[in-house]
Amino acid sequence: MKALGIIAGGGDLPRAVAESARESGRDVFVVGLRGLCGDWAEGFPHEWVSLGEPGRALKALAGAGAGDVLLVGRVERPKFSELKLDAKGLMVIPKVLAAARQGDDALLRLLVGLFEAEGFRAVGVADAAPGLVAEEGALGRIKPTDEHQADIARGFAIVRALGALDVGQAAAVCEGLALAVEAAEGTDRMIARVGELRESLRGTADKKRGVLVKGLKPTQDAKTDMPVVGVQTVRRAAEMGLAGIAVEAGKSLIVDKRAVKDEADRLGLFVMGIRP
Amino acid sequence: MKALGIIAGGGDLPRAVAESARESGRDVFVVGLRGLCGDWAEGFPHEWVSLGEPGRALKALAGAGAGDVLLVGRVERPKFSELKLDAKGLMVIPKVLAAARQGDDALLRLLVGLFEAEGFRAVGVADAAPGLVAEEGALGRIKPTDEHQADIARGFAIVRALGALDVGQAAAVCEGLALAVEAAEGTDRMIARVGELRESLRGTADKKRGVLVKGLKPTQDAKTDMPVVGVQTVRRAAEMGLAGIAVEAGKSLIVDKRAVKDEADRLGLFVMGIRP
């Protein structure tokens, strides 16, 4: 099996994928995006590249004998006018700008196409590290109530509608009221916002109410941008008084399931994989 | 013509409506919601009631000879368990709780029905104060560019999708990217959030980019909850680096059009009424 090339942005997910793939016996080569990917990449065969250097990334992947390529992790949009572009970067920048105008997903699809045009096979996290994929049912001890189930259903309806427009992938709902909806700020900041609402609208750390729902956008390619829940997500949700987290089974990732389960049990939250 | 009864919540709109209606020669009676409605109600024939006292509100309106009744202004959801209920309140609270679970709009529709069942005619702001309704075209000197028009179209698509689910009525979009989407936090806090995003994603007060769009939810009754833009909206949007504001002509309100126009011109923003 050819090596797995991981183009790694920010956050915990790239490392989790790299470690999971290595543990399953696969050769892994990391292309760390400078300023985004953490130091952990130094523990793998790797190369650092800047966002404007697709040529350099492709060359490093070819040199490492990578066959499958995975784009993973948080990438904030750069100021395109300030990018230092290599030769390949100069060639593709007009298409990148056009795609960027259509939203993040269009941009990701373009990048995936770029790697495929060079003979790599774009793979998703589910292929590279299937152990991270959320399964159906409650991960821990705590189960959602009927009221939570109703909020979960409403949350998925909102996330699907937003997702169809490439807006965001998360929402918080409490007893029918949409507390917060994610756009460019990301899920963590969206969750933090719940705690700024009046207490009558939401739960508290002592008396938890409402749910966080994360779902794959219909426009999203499961290969590149599955929703992710980790220990931090559970902690943040608990702090903001949410009673639990629901994700789509088979189409979401849970980084470090054991730790997520333990933390959810400790804090009194449910973490559910749902087939909506 | 019978008097206009205004059940007034928080914000600037109730006062603007009351003054506009009085200026047009109409008798106005204000039922101020305690803790929400400002002191301005003292300048009108009025009665103060708490949120749990619909009986008292109905009695005051009947005593004042009100025929049309308008519910207007911000009302945050109370802790229903802490409401002090009058006799009518006790009768309707089960229905209120059920409607509250379905969202703000269901709750409003229920309240409107309550007044109609007592023989009042529920009217909207557009009937009571037509001068506040947004007209088509640019209010001030500044016009949106083609890029802004594209963001406006995307903003309305997002607002309609969110609105259909009774989530919120505003969104900020910059060059195709959904910067922020409104849920329970309200438009002001949503706009403030735009300024917390990385500068590469958004405009600045000096170099404005992106638009704020506010639209009527399809589930909303134009009588009770039209989107509102005022001088503060213009100032906040400018501070956060947005290039302009678009609302739906005929289905949105502009409080103090002259001041909004002057402030938009001074700060270099457009304020557009659009028929999407």
Side-chain angles (χ1 to χ4, degrees):
Chain A
M1 198 177 216
K2 283 190 151 192
L4 171 69
I6 299 179
I7 303 184
D12 296 331
L13 185 57
R15 179 185 200 152
V17 173
E19 287 175 352
S20 172
R22 182 162 66 182
E23 277 159 27
S24 72
R26 196 143 184 214
D27 284 334
V28 172
F29 183 84
V30 178
V31 176
L33 294 174
R34 212 185 289 279
L36 295 163
C37 176
D39 286 347
W40 62 267
E42 304 278 345
F44 289 81
H46 70 281
E47 174 86 20
W48 294 101
V49 310
S50 299
L51 275 176
E53 301 177 318
R56 190 184 170 112
L58 289 163
K59 203 173 151 190
L61 289 164
D68 293 351
V69 169
L70 171 67
L71 284 139
V72 64
R74 187 174 37 75
V75 179
E76 284 165 343
R77 285 182 179 215
K79 281 203 174 165
F80 289 110
S81 57
E82 289 175 7
L83 277 184
K84 281 178 193 138
L85 298 165
D86 67 10
K88 186 82 186 175
L90 286 167
M91 270 178 60
V92 298
I93 191 73
K95 282 186 189 169
V96 169
L97 288 171
R101 255 156 235 232
Q102 294 169 51
D104 280 352
D105 298 338
L107 190 51
L108 261 170
R109 279 194 301 275
L110 179 87
L111 295 178
V112 165
L114 197 73
F115 287 95
E116 289 184 331
E118 300 282 333
F120 297 102
R121 191 170 74 107
V123 296
V125 172
D127 301 314
L132 302 180
V133 177
E135 286 160 71
E136 198 166 357
L139 186 65
R141 180 166 48 77
I142 298 157
K143 310 273 184 295
T145 64
D146 287 352
E147 175 127 55
H148 296 146
Q149 295 281 14
D151 282 345
I152 290 170
R154 180 147 157 69
F156 275 116
I158 292 169
V159 163
R160 260 194 299 273
L162 282 173
L165 290 159
D166 192 8
V167 172
Q169 49 173 222
V173 178
C174 180
E175 290 156 32
L177 183 69
L179 300 181
V181 161
E182 179 195 344
E185 75 278 16
T187 308
D188 287 349
R189 286 159 92 171
M190 189 215 80
I191 300 173
R193 201 150 77 229
V194 170
E196 294 165 15
L197 296 171
R198 294 184 61 208
E199 258 189 53
S200 58
L201 302 182
R202 60 172 170 95
T204 60
D206 293 334
K207 197 179 171 187
K208 296 191 173 68
R209 290 162 67 205
V211 301
L212 168 69
V213 171
K214 281 194 88 167
L216 188 73
K217 302 181 204 168
T219 56
Q220 270 175 330
D221 186 341
K223 280 181 190 160
T224 50
D225 199 12
M226 275 193 180
V228 182
V229 165
V231 173
Q232 282 300 333
T233 323
V234 174
R235 283 191 197 133
R236 287 204 173 90
E239 269 171 45
M240 297 306 133
L242 291 167
I245 300 172
V247 297
E248 200 170 342
K251 296 186 175 174
S252 313
L253 304 172
I254 300 183
V255 173
D256 201 344
K257 278 183 187 167
R258 162 139 231 145
V260 166
K261 175 190 172 303
D262 290 347
E263 196 68 359
D265 284 349
R266 189 177 76 78
L267 294 168
L269 269 75
F270 62 82
V271 175
M272 280 290 286
I274 304 264
R275 297 209 185 269
Chain B
M1 196 179 220
K2 283 192 150 187
L4 171 69
I6 299 179
I7 303 184
D12 296 331
L13 185 58
R15 179 187 202 151
V17 173
E19 288 176 350
S20 172
R22 181 161 67 183
E23 277 160 28
S24 71
R26 194 141 186 213
D27 284 334
V28 172
F29 182 84
V30 178
V31 175
L33 294 174
R34 213 184 288 278
L36 294 165
C37 176
D39 286 348
W40 62 266
E42 305 276 345
F44 290 81
H46 70 282
E47 175 85 20
W48 293 103
V49 309
S50 299
L51 274 177
E53 302 177 318
R56 190 184 172 111
L58 288 162
K59 202 172 152 191
L61 289 165
D68 294 348
V69 168
L70 171 68
L71 285 139
V72 65
R74 189 174 35 77
V75 179
E76 283 164 346
R77 284 180 181 217
K79 277 201 177 172
F80 289 111
S81 58
E82 290 174 8
L83 277 184
K84 281 177 194 142
L85 297 165
D86 67 10
K88 186 82 187 171
L90 285 167
M91 272 180 56
V92 299
I93 191 74
K95 282 187 189 169
V96 169
L97 288 172
R101 255 155 237 235
Q102 292 168 51
D104 280 352
D105 298 339
L107 190 52
L108 262 170
R109 279 193 303 273
L110 179 89
L111 296 177
V112 165
L114 197 75
F115 287 96
E116 289 184 331
E118 300 283 333
F120 298 102
R121 191 169 74 106
V123 296
V125 173
D127 302 314
L132 301 181
V133 177
E135 287 160 72
E136 197 167 357
L139 186 66
R141 184 167 43 78
I142 298 158
K143 309 274 184 294
T145 63
D146 287 351
E147 175 126 54
H148 296 145
Q149 295 280 14
D151 282 345
I152 289 170
R154 180 148 156 67
F156 274 116
I158 293 169
V159 163
R160 259 194 302 271
L162 282 172
L165 289 160
D166 193 7
V167 172
Q169 51 175 221
V173 178
C174 181
E175 290 156 30
L177 184 69
L179 299 182
V181 163
E182 180 194 344
E185 75 278 14
T187 309
D188 286 349
R189 286 159 91 172
M190 190 214 79
I191 300 174
R193 203 151 75 229
V194 171
E196 294 166 14
L197 296 171
R198 295 185 61 209
E199 256 189 56
S200 58
L201 302 182
R202 60 173 171 92
T204 60
D206 293 334
K207 197 180 172 186
K208 296 191 174 68
R209 290 162 67 205
V211 302
L212 169 69
V213 171
K214 281 194 91 167
L216 188 71
K217 301 183 205 169
T219 55
Q220 269 175 333
D221 186 342
K223 279 180 190 160
T224 50
D225 198 14
M226 276 193 180
V228 182
V229 165
V231 173
Q232 282 301 334
T233 323
V234 174
R235 281 189 199 137
R236 287 202 174 91
E239 268 171 44
M240 296 304 133
L242 291 167
I245 299 171
V247 296
E248 200 168 344
K251 295 186 176 175
S252 313
L253 304 171
I254 299 182
V255 173
D256 201 345
K257 279 184 186 167
R258 162 140 231 142
V260 167
K261 176 189 171 303
D262 289 348
E263 196 67 358
D265 284 349
R266 190 178 73 79
L267 293 169
L269 268 74
F270 62 83
V271 175
M272 279 292 287
I274 303 265
R275 298 208 185 269

